[in-house]
Amino acid sequence: SLEVGRRLSETDRQFLEDLEGKLLALMRSEDATRWGLLSKRKVALRSLEYHAYSDGGSVMDPEHRDDGSLLTISVLLSRLEDFRGGVFSTFNGNEQRVEHLMERGDGVLFLSEKRHNV
């Protein structure tokens, strides 16, 4: 948000701009080998969100999807020792929950219509 942007230092702002560029390049590369969605039409970044959860917070809606997007990437930015829980999950073709145990800097790229939650 604009408010958060005003509170960022120039160093943090530059870090986030660099991170955005790297993530977009990785998403385009992976899409080219797996789905080919991005090359078939003119696309733009729809949203880039930063989520912070407090104790007890989650997005556990079992039907949650990122409607209106083609691809979603979820990246863990926190150090594991800074929180408990917070396991990112998707659902496979058999509707079974798949937990993605990530380390700081790891990410999961998936089709936005795929169900997912934390």
Side-chain angles (χ1 to χ4, degrees):
S1 75
L2 192 55
E3 176 187 339
V4 171
R6 278 184 240 156
R7 293 187 296 181
L8 292 174
S9 69
E10 187 56 37
T11 301
D12 288 342
R13 190 174 291 109
Q14 186 60 55
F15 169 79
L16 292 175
E17 287 176 11
D18 292 346
L19 179 60
E20 177 183 346
K22 289 177 184 178
L23 291 174
L24 289 174
L26 288 168
M27 289 175 77
R28 288 187 183 282
S29 174
E30 188 67 16
D31 172 68
T33 56
R34 294 177 71 187
W35 305 292
L37 295 173
L38 303 180
S39 63
K40 294 178 181 174
R41 64 198 82 165
K42 183 177 168 94
V43 296
L45 179 64
R46 189 178 77 81
S47 72
L48 182 62
E49 302 172 354
Y50 172 81
H51 295 273
Y53 297 97
S54 57
D55 287 344
S58 69
V59 178
M60 286 305 292
D61 176 358
E63 297 301 317
H64 177 75
R65 294 171 169 85
D66 291 342
D67 296 327
S69 297
L70 296 172
L71 298 175
T72 297
I73 188 168
S74 183
V75 178
L76 180 61
L77 300 176
S78 299
R79 293 184 308 259
L80 293 178
E81 61 268 15
D82 291 342
F83 68 95
R84 287 191 329 253
V87 176
F88 184 79
S89 300
T90 56
F91 294 82
N92 67 18
N94 297 326
E95 299 303 309
Q96 294 175 322
R97 178 186 211 89
V98 177
E99 292 187 348
H100 302 274
L101 302 176
M102 300 190 288
E103 299 283 334
R104 185 178 192 188
D106 290 346
V108 178
L109 177 67
F110 55 95
L111 298 173
S112 298
E113 65 192 29
K114 187 177 188 115
R115 294 185 314 132
H116 61 281
N117 54 43
V118 178

